[in-house]
Amino acid sequence: MTRIDATFAALRAEGKKAFVAYVMAGDPDYERSLDLVRGLPGAGVDVIELGLPFTDPMADGETIQLAGQRALESGMTLNRTLQLVRDFRAGDDTTPIVMMGYYNPIYNHGVDRFLVDAREAGVDGLIVVDLPPEEDEELCLPAQAAGLNFIRLATPTTDDTRLPKVLQNTSGFVYYVSITGITGAAAAQAGDVAPEVARIKAATDLPVIVGFGIRTPDAAQGIAGVADGCVVGSAIVAAQADGKTAADVLSFVKTLADGAHRA
């Protein structure tokens, strides 16, 4: 059982929904990024999604693209991202960390070496947005054999024919993308999301977590109310980009977490 599995089992036992926070590793620099990540569990975050900076983030909107650029300009690399996880793990051995990004940096690092390094650092799961199920032998299956959850994205365009393929080798949880398009592009609507979540849950026993387009505590509550939890990314990254201190950003994160936990 991974930390992700254990966390969702504990939440289920308590009748609680999950709050997942996305932040970009190394934004705006290593030390401030580490301070923020270290503070997330205390702000109510159940699972941390840690963005891996990449030069061509095709699924991301401007907010997260700019965060990735800031991180890269500050010297962030895959190795430094793994070091950030190690530094976090020195004080927290329970909060799950999901690394979210693109295949190119992992491929360049070497898949076998990456999986060893990620496990050693304390990574629990991967979301690799540009590897479809047809490429599961590239990373998904080796990752699961190494003890890492491989989390797949389902979208409004994932129809009943495609859904079984998407779910086939998914573990940890299913990430439902609530809108078509890039991150931060539109607001998620619980009424639109609910039937899609129900359709996915009819096909899997995994938790279904909804992300994209959630910016407020009320939205977090509404979306978590029709799913097993929600993810907020762009709104948190934008708050950090406004020059707020880690304490200010964490205060904002707590309001979102509280919203999700009220569901």
Side-chain angles (χ1 to χ4, degrees):
M1 179 178 284
T2 66
R3 292 184 186 93
I4 296 170
D5 299 327
T7 293
F8 279 106
L11 288 167
R12 201 160 42 241
E14 296 173 22
K16 289 179 64 177
K17 301 301 180 73
F19 180 70
V20 182
Y22 171 97
V23 295
M24 179 65 71
D27 176 32
D29 57 50
Y30 188 93
E31 292 303 328
R32 282 183 282 182
S33 177
L34 179 59
D35 284 346
L36 179 61
V37 174
R38 281 175 168 161
L40 291 174
V45 173
D46 300 300
V47 178
I48 297 169
E49 272 185 26
L50 190 62
L52 176 61
F54 181 51
T55 53
D56 189 22
M58 64 191 78
D60 294 312
E62 182 179 10
T63 298
I64 291 178
Q65 285 188 29
L66 290 173
Q69 288 178 18
R70 291 190 297 269
L72 291 169
E73 288 167 3
S74 77
M76 207 62 182
T77 62
L78 173 55
N79 281 326
R80 294 200 79 201
T81 301
L82 292 173
Q83 185 57 49
L84 191 148
V85 177
R86 291 187 194 98
D87 289 343
F88 173 82
R89 285 281 173 240
D92 186 318
D93 195 41
T94 57
T95 305
I97 291 183
V98 175
M99 185 177 288
M100 183 171 186
Y102 299 83
Y103 186 46
N104 183 274
I106 296 170
Y107 177 81
N108 286 334
H109 193 84
V111 168
D112 292 342
R113 179 184 164 206
F114 168 76
L115 293 175
V116 170
D117 291 348
R119 281 280 291 168
E120 179 272 329
V123 174
D124 303 291
L126 303 173
I127 300 175
V128 183
V129 298
D130 55 347
L131 273 183
E134 287 74 15
E135 306 297 335
D136 275 357
E137 291 185 1
E138 286 282 332
L139 181 61
C140 173
L141 297 180
Q144 305 218 73
L148 295 168
N149 289 128
F150 198 90
I151 295 142
R152 190 82 69 192
L153 276 65
T155 74
T157 60
T158 305
D159 61 20
D160 290 339
T161 301
R162 181 66 173 168
L163 185 60
K165 187 71 172 177
V166 169
L167 297 175
Q168 180 174 293
N169 292 315
T170 299
S171 64
F173 61 91
V174 180
Y175 188 135
Y176 179 67
V177 176
S178 64
I179 57 173
T180 55
I182 55 176
T183 57
Q189 302 296 326
D192 297 331
V193 168
E196 293 300 304
V197 170
R199 182 170 67 92
I200 296 168
K201 288 182 73 65
T204 181
D205 292 331
L206 292 171
V208 179
I209 307 301
V210 177
F212 285 45
I214 303 167
R215 302 187 184 95
T216 67
D218 286 346
Q221 181 178 359
I223 294 296
V226 299
D228 295 301
C230 68
V231 185
V232 178
S234 293
I236 296 171
V237 173
Q240 192 174 11
D242 284 343
K244 292 181 171 62
T245 66
D248 289 337
V249 176
L250 291 168
S251 293
F252 172 58
V253 170
K254 187 176 187 308
T255 68
L256 297 166
D258 289 347
H261 292 150
R262 283 195 301 270

